[in-house]
Amino acid sequence: MPGIHGPSDYSREPPRHPSLKINAKEPFNAEPTRSDLISSYITPVDFFYKRNHGPIPVVDDIERYSVSVCGLIENSNELFMKDIWKLPKYTVTATLQCAGNRRTAMSKSRTVKGVGWDISAIGNAVWGGAKLADVLKLVGIPYLTSITQSGGKHVEFVSIDKCKEEKGGPYKASIPLSQATNPEADVLLAYEMNGEPLNRDHGYPLRVVVPGVIGARSVKWLDSINIIAEECQGFFVQKDYKMFPPTVNWDNINWSTRRPQMDFPVQCAICSLEDVSVVKHGKITIKGYAVSGGGRGIERVDISIDGGKTWVEATRYQRTGIPYIADDASSDKWAWVFFEAEANIPQSAEIVAKAVDIAANVQPESIDSIWNLRGILNTSWHRVQVRVGQANL
């Protein structure tokens, strides 16, 4: 698409909300405060975490913007926005989470490499757009195809975004063709977020949303879609976002021994308290989010006020006043769940939260058991310290 993109440099960054916690300025990476994050079930665009690998691209001419679909298929095609707008529009409520969410806590165990995130590199939005399965049908790939006649097994998304990890080339990632062509997987080419056109931070004019999968696969600022035989060979699929055991370090790492991370594990975090909080009196409300990858619902959230010796079950909900039932038609399959519990705090306490999903997956107790050199997927029990005292101490 020559000529339609304005210059991508840091001088043309969009405005952002002043309350965001900035973890890196160039490229811009930021997350909301904990209390802002759980102020509403649908995360306002301003408070949705910003994850970037380079300057925010500028698309100036929406009329000339297009996405090419090519590779191991019979008919290559070039789709303009008007073509995508003509397809049936779906809205999917889905939580995206950076694989590095809670990395800062993991680095306290042993240093890891990557942007330092607290617990808010996550957000829940209503995405609007065309299903990728419908887009691929336009180029002759039927629903539920796992391999094309020419041997295509993966769908690669290439961004307009340029990043240093790709030596100045575009950001890219891929998902299996079987997932891309499954309408039930709800993979979108999204042009709306919370009922408004995407803003520049979140991929204007068109991005991929892959529900239930780490955010790194939901490519923003889409440039092209390639049907390929093997997984994407880009940096972020082959040499990043893989889960290594705690014994692997930068001297003995062999990237090819691990599969690229896709689904994220069960996760929860307490958002109504900071890591260390002083409260005025003994009774407090403990609130936060819980979510699991792959569309697995949340079966339970357990809260302890004695560091994990005894537990009570929190209430769960997606919408206030409506009890959440995992796997029920009334629940948002791809979205987080809020939890809430009340507790009387002794003079001081370690409050712990852990979630269990419908497959009975449970968060691991310690960071040390899941420590990895890239600091991804810290899903260990979330712990905060609370003591009763004068709030101004």
Side-chain angles (χ1 to χ4, degrees):
M1 293 177 283
I4 75 155
H5 305 140
S8 287
D9 62 56
Y10 291 118
S11 68
R12 295 192 67 183
E13 295 283 290
R16 277 103 179 197
H17 198 277
S19 72
L20 291 176
K21 296 195 287 187
I22 298 171
N23 299 325
K25 281 192 170 161
E26 293 183 1
F28 188 82
N29 287 280
E31 64 187 300
T33 65
R34 295 178 181 191
S35 56
D36 283 340
L37 182 65
I38 56 158
S39 60
S40 69
Y41 170 65
I42 302 299
T43 311
V45 175
D46 278 352
F47 292 153
F48 205 99
Y49 75 100
K50 321 295 178 196
R51 175 72 179 110
N52 297 299
H53 294 92
I56 308 296
V58 180
V59 176
D60 286 330
D61 188 345
I62 193 71
E63 298 287 317
R64 291 179 59 202
Y65 169 83
S66 65
V67 173
S68 60
V69 187
C70 48
L72 299 172
I73 49 174
E74 304 286 305
N75 311 305
S76 294
N77 211 327
E78 191 170 5
L79 300 175
F80 291 85
M81 283 307 294
K82 64 180 190 317
D83 304 315
I84 292 162
W85 287 330
K86 278 179 193 162
L87 290 167
K89 180 183 168 183
Y90 291 88
T91 57
V92 175
T93 303
T95 297
L96 292 187
Q97 177 177 219
C98 177
N101 193 25
R102 301 180 58 202
R103 181 179 282 136
T104 300
M106 189 175 272
S107 68
K108 287 174 184 165
S109 172
R110 258 194 293 159
T111 305
V112 297
K113 189 174 173 182
V115 175
W117 297 100
D118 186 43
I119 65 172
S120 300
I122 186 169
N124 186 48
V126 180
W127 308 96
K131 284 202 180 178
L132 178 59
D134 288 342
V135 172
L136 294 176
K137 215 171 162 191
L138 279 184
V139 296
I141 306 176
Y143 287 167
L144 305 176
T145 300
S146 51
I147 180 167
T148 64
Q149 287 179 329
S150 329
K153 289 185 189 171
H154 297 266
V155 180
E156 178 183 65
F157 312 115
V158 182
S159 177
I160 298 165
D161 185 22
K162 304 290 191 282
C163 47
K164 65 178 190 304
E165 292 89 348
E166 294 285 7
K167 299 181 173 58
Y171 183 96
K172 50 191 171 183
S174 65
I175 63 171
L177 183 66
S178 56
Q179 183 178 13
T181 57
N182 180 0
E184 298 288 305
D186 287 334
V187 181
L188 289 188
L189 295 194
Y191 43 79
E192 281 182 8
M193 183 178 182
N194 297 348
E196 301 284 334
L198 288 173
N199 74 7
R200 284 180 53 213
D201 263 328
H202 296 291
Y204 175 84
L206 194 66
R207 71 170 297 168
V208 186
V209 173
V210 188
V213 165
I214 63 167
R217 313 304 177 213
S218 287
V219 174
K220 297 187 277 191
W221 313 292
L222 192 59
D223 183 73
S224 60
I225 297 171
N226 302 321
I227 312 303
I228 54 179
E230 304 294 330
E231 283 159 345
C232 166
Q233 294 302 299
F235 178 90
F236 295 100
V237 178
Q238 298 302 330
K239 299 208 165 169
D240 204 355
Y241 299 123
K242 292 182 176 184
M243 185 73 161
F244 284 89
T247 47
V248 171
N249 60 43
W250 292 106
D251 298 324
N252 65 16
I253 191 168
N254 179 353
W255 288 102
S256 65
T257 60
R258 298 287 148 194
R259 59 184 286 280
Q261 189 63 41
M262 298 299 280
D263 279 18
F264 51 81
V266 63
Q267 169 78 290
C268 83
I270 297 164
C271 297
S272 55
L273 296 161
E274 296 302 318
D275 286 340
V276 179
S277 298
V278 178
V279 296
K280 280 183 180 170
H281 54 85
K283 189 156 197 167
I284 63 167
T285 303
I286 301 153
K287 293 181 180 181
Y289 64 78
V291 66
S292 191
R296 293 179 291 278
I298 297 296
E299 182 62 28
R300 219 174 67 228
V301 178
D302 300 329
I303 304 292
S304 171
I305 62 165
D306 53 16
K309 296 186 188 72
T310 60
W311 301 88
V312 296
E313 191 173 339
T315 57
R316 290 160 295 136
Y317 59 95
Q318 286 182 322
R319 286 163 191 84
T320 311
I322 303 171
Y324 165 82
I325 305 164
D327 280 7
D328 191 74
S330 66
S331 300
D332 292 325
K333 174 180 180 181
W334 305 108
W336 63 10
V337 173
F338 281 177
F339 66 83
E340 190 171 315
E342 287 200 331
N344 281 307
I345 302 297
Q347 203 56 38
S348 63
E350 181 181 58
I351 302 179
V352 185
K354 65 177 168 75
V356 183
D357 71 16
I358 56 165
N361 298 307
V362 63
Q363 292 173 253
E365 180 175 347
S366 79
I367 286 178
D368 292 339
S369 62
I370 52 168
W371 184 93
N372 60 92
L373 76 176
R374 268 296 275 118
I376 66 165
L377 306 181
N378 177 12
T379 55
S380 59
W381 294 1
H382 190 225
R383 303 166 187 267
V384 296
Q385 309 296 324
V386 175
R387 67 184 177 82
V388 178
Q390 295 304 313
N392 60 356
L393 284 183

